[in-house]
Amino acid sequence: LSPAGETVLAVRFDHAARRVGAVLEGGDIEVYDLAEGNLAGRVAGKPGDPWFRFSPEDGWVWRVHEGALVAVEIESGAEQARVPLPAGASVAPLQSQGQFIAVTAPSGGLWVDAAEVSRRRVWTEAEGLRPFAIGPNGKVAACVTPEGVVRIDLGTGIRIGRVMSWDGAPAVASGAFTPEGNFLAVLDTVGMVRFFDLVDNKLFKAIATDALPRSGPPPSATVHISLDPSGNRLAAFDSA
């Protein structure tokens, strides 16, 4: 593979590992077919944020371009979707691995459905919903509201179940669903992890720990948690 003799800033495989994309110093993205070893498409761009990702179906790529999150078809180079971004916005790569792309900005944040170029669901903090975890089926988001934690159907915007809250209501730092989606782990900014039973809509277990990494005194919005595939072990890490 020979990306036009330019310096490569970032590379990424598609979901099926059949193609690889390379962001060039000039801003273009070249996509190569790994089986044939040839150029499958070139997405024109300008120097800027090197982040990009393939759509879940691998037919187009999402990238940040000229103040917007843009989806471009690989073979034709045609723009499929454009989501304007607020000033100072950037993609949060650690939270953008699944179907949704997470964007943070000084004025708030938003999530964009990477699979829907014609019917996108965009949730903003300005609407009073701050999504912090996406369910394993990609259809449900756990969101922070002034009342507590709620689940939202991303297709309809309707709340699912009851509000999940606790005494003192410390701020939510991160969260994760178990693989089957029956439990939600919520990490608050004082180091408590609470597991909510989503079938019965109740608190199942709370674990206090001082071992969580922190980039500074609480609250720390850079601390994240992740569950292993079995749902029995939890890892905490600091993205700062």
Side-chain angles (χ1 to χ4, degrees), residues 175-199:
F177 286 86
T178 53
E180 75 285 353
N182 291 337
F183 291 88
L184 173 66
V186 179
L187 167 68
D188 67 29
T189 51
V190 298
M192 180 75 74
V193 181
R194 293 176 176 84
F195 291 86
F196 289 93
D197 183 328
L198 302 180
V199 176

Side-chain angles (χ1 to χ4, degrees), residues 22-201:
V23 180
L24 308 181
E25 189 174 24
D28 291 356
I29 299 175
E30 291 192 343
V31 178
Y32 290 87
D33 184 307
L34 294 177
E36 301 294 333
N38 57 9
L39 184 66
R42 185 179 179 104
V43 176
K46 296 180 180 179
D49 191 335
W51 177 88
F52 79 101
R53 60 160 291 177
F54 288 91
S55 66
E57 293 79 13
D58 297 327
W60 61 86
V61 295
W62 286 92
R63 70 177 310 174
V64 177
H65 183 61
E66 297 182 337
L69 194 60
V70 180
V72 180
E73 189 176 47
I74 295 170
E75 293 187 0
S76 68
E79 184 175 308
Q80 302 295 305
R82 175 176 289 263
V83 181
L85 298 178
S90 62
V91 173
L94 290 173
Q95 296 174 290
S96 303
Q97 303 299 320
Q99 181 176 338
F100 291 82
I101 302 169
V103 177
T104 60
S107 59
L110 58 112
W111 292 69
V112 178
D113 188 339
E116 296 286 350
V117 294
S118 60
R119 188 181 60 83
R120 300 184 304 276
R121 293 298 305 186
V122 178
W123 299 101
T124 69
E125 291 187 20
E127 294 171 339
L129 298 172
R130 182 173 69 83
F132 64 90
I134 300 294
N137 61 4
K139 298 179 180 179
V140 176
C143 305
V144 177
T145 71
E147 297 81 27
V149 174
V150 299
R151 286 176 294 150
I152 300 291
D153 184 311
L154 289 170
T156 64
I158 297 175
R159 294 190 180 191
I160 303 171
R162 298 195 301 266
V163 175
M164 294 169 279
S165 59
W166 50 89
D167 293 339
V172 172
S174 180
F177 286 86
T178 53
E180 75 285 353
N182 291 337
F183 291 88
L184 173 66
V186 179
L187 167 68
D188 67 29
T189 51
V190 298
M192 180 75 74
V193 181
R194 293 176 176 84
F195 291 86
F196 289 93
D197 183 328
L198 302 180
V199 176
D200 295 328
N201 276 289

